Amino acid sequence: MSETKLPVLKAKDFASDQEVRWCPGCGDYAILNAVQRVVAQTGHSRENTVFISGIGCSSRFPYYMSTYGFHSIHGRAPGFVTGLKVANPELDVWMVTGDGDGFSIGGNHMMHILRRNVDVNIMLFNNRIYGLTKGQYSPTSEQGKKTKSTPMGSLDFPIDPIQVALAAGGTFVARSTDKDRGLADVLTEASKHRGSSFCEIYQNCNIFNDGAFEDLTGKDTREDNVLYLEHGKPMVFGKNSDKGLRLIGNRPEVVTLGEGGVSEDDLLFHDETNHALATMLACLHHPEFPEPLGVFYREDRPTYETLVADQVAEAKEKRGAGTLDDLFNAGDTYVLEGADSNHGLHD
């Protein structure tokens, strides 16, 4: 009997028949195109792929993917993801959220899905603004940001999503931009990871926060402002690849190769398995330092749904499969005697 071969899917096969309704010029279009290319390359079928989102501009994503999906509740996508993966661990699940959805009302949920290491690809679109609700400041907006809700400038110090993901125990933490050449590569690596992969994507909101990342995406400025992280390679950047990062004591500094005898051997070399190094890179503040893009950190750790399945199997082995009726009547029970339907209990 011949083996049935699954059809080879292309990016267009993952595009739904729905009209894509983001503002013209929005960075979400570029991310959508990159994701459709990546999922086509993973080899998963559309029937086994699920996109789950919260609320926001980015959270319209499931409508535009020809897969299963949920447009869920504000900030609560991690709960839907966790339930789905525990119920069906074989599904390829992607979670789409934004800086407001993921780190305001959903901040607590984000921490827990990361520390639990649920096997999901999390994409956080960070435009440093609330776009869907028309331009209020968000948890990642810069201090002093003037918006409709902060006309005199925001007093809040912004959350750094990469720092939060690392501190919460994320096992794959990365960053890219909507226009970056490496976005598809980062998402591909995330899709290969078993566990919670967290990808922050700088995304331009050309209506309410246009040009927020222009120095990182513009062709004339990008090379001097971006440090592409490559495992095992020296941290070199600049249009002429003549700048780099090195450590003096325990502090990083930007150096120019060739000046004072500085060579690539003197620079920091990236190590994706070094959590301390990843944390230091997450704390680099642009424009004093270049903005790191790529994979900050990855580690192998058992996934949450695997541990749940192991625990269920252990319980069955020790106590048997059981029944729902047994469960309802397990533990402490009591009986009400002498109950009167008209007057309740009586002596």
Side-chain angles (χ1 to χ4, degrees):
M1 186 174 181
S2 61
E3 183 179 342
T4 302
K5 291 186 178 180
L6 294 175
V8 177
L9 299 177
K10 299 180 180 180
K12 65 180 181 180
D13 296 318
F14 284 91
S16 76
D17 60 359
Q18 299 298 298
E19 178 187 359
V20 182
R21 300 186 64 184
W22 286 311
C23 299
C26 175
D28 288 356
Y29 287 95
I31 302 172
L32 177 63
N33 290 334
V35 171
Q36 289 171 344
R37 294 197 308 272
V38 169
V39 293
Q41 295 168 3
T42 62
H44 289 278
S45 68
R46 294 182 297 174
E47 294 78 12
N48 285 327
T49 304
V50 184
F51 281 79
I52 296 179
S53 65
I55 296 295
C57 293
S58 63
S59 294
R60 299 182 62 83
F61 214 91
Y63 295 114
Y64 308 138
M65 297 296 300
S66 185
T67 65
Y68 285 106
F70 294 95
H71 189 177
S72 69
I73 307 169
H74 201 190
R76 270 53 172 202
F80 285 78
V81 167
T82 303
L84 184 62
K85 285 295 293 189
V86 169
N88 192 343
E90 299 306 313
L91 293 175
D92 181 34
V93 181
W94 297 69
M95 187 182 110
V96 187
T97 184
D99 45 310
D101 181 66
F103 280 107
S104 184
I105 191 170
N108 188 47
H109 301 274
M110 182 70 77
M111 288 191 298
H112 293 304
I113 196 171
L114 289 171
R115 74 180 178 89
R116 285 173 174 152
N117 199 36
V118 178
D119 185 19
V120 57
N121 307 306
I122 301 170
M123 296 187 295
L124 182 122
F125 296 16
N126 182 6
N127 55 23
R128 294 178 178 167
I129 203 76
Y130 276 103
L132 188 65
T133 51
K134 306 300 184 283
Q136 299 84 359
Y137 83 115
S138 84
T140 59
S141 294
E142 313 92 301
Q143 195 171 38
K145 185 76 172 180
K146 291 185 178 181
T147 72
K148 294 178 179 179
S149 55
T150 54
M152 296 178 66
S154 169
L155 299 176
D156 296 353
F157 190 79
I159 281 177
D160 186 306
I162 297 294
Q163 291 185 44
V164 173
L166 289 167
T171 56
F172 181 100
V173 180
R175 179 196 286 147
S176 190
T177 75
D178 51 9
K179 298 179 181 179
D180 192 74
R181 66 192 184 211
L183 174 58
D185 293 335
V186 166
L187 295 177
T188 297
E189 290 302 307
S191 71
K192 296 176 182 176
H193 180 70
R194 300 278 69 84
S196 293
S197 65
F198 178 88
C199 297
E200 177 188 23
I201 305 173
Y202 287 153
Q203 174 258 324
N204 188 50
C205 175
N206 58 314
I207 303 300
F208 296 109
N209 201 22
D210 193 25
F213 307 106
E214 183 62 28
D215 57 342
L216 306 178
T217 59
K219 64 178 182 179
D220 295 327
T221 56
R222 179 180 60 235
E223 300 299 334
D224 282 332
N225 292 306
V226 169
L227 170 63
Y228 289 104
L229 300 174
E230 298 182 78
H231 183 63
K233 294 187 178 182
M235 297 186 187
V236 176
F237 68 100
K239 288 181 180 178
N240 300 315
S241 299
D242 59 347
K243 297 179 181 179
L245 279 186
R246 72 172 179 182
L247 276 183
I248 298 297
N250 60 358
R251 292 182 177 273
E253 71 168 6
V254 175
V255 295
T256 301
L257 295 175
E259 289 188 1
V262 175
S263 70
E264 287 191 357
D265 292 337
D266 299 310
L267 303 180
L268 276 167
F269 281 67
H270 188 43
D271 180 0
E272 294 174 353
T273 67
N274 187 330
H275 195 276
L277 177 61
T279 302
M280 185 199 75
L281 291 169
C283 293
L284 296 181
H285 296 293
H286 181 73
E288 181 183 355
F289 293 99
E291 189 83 3
L293 298 182
V295 179
F296 284 69
Y297 180 70
R298 75 171 95 202
E299 69 166 289
D300 291 325
R301 201 169 76 211
T303 64
Y304 182 72
E305 58 271 25
T306 299
L307 296 175
V308 169
D310 290 345
Q311 194 173 70
V312 170
E314 181 182 356
K316 286 182 177 179
E317 184 178 346
K318 289 182 177 179
R319 304 175 62 180
T323 67
L324 191 59
D325 189 61
D326 292 337
L327 180 63
F328 283 153
N329 291 282
D332 295 330
T333 61
Y334 59 91
V335 178
L336 296 178
E337 296 182 356
D340 188 309
S341 60
N342 293 320
H343 303 288
L345 299 178
H346 58 78
D347 295 333

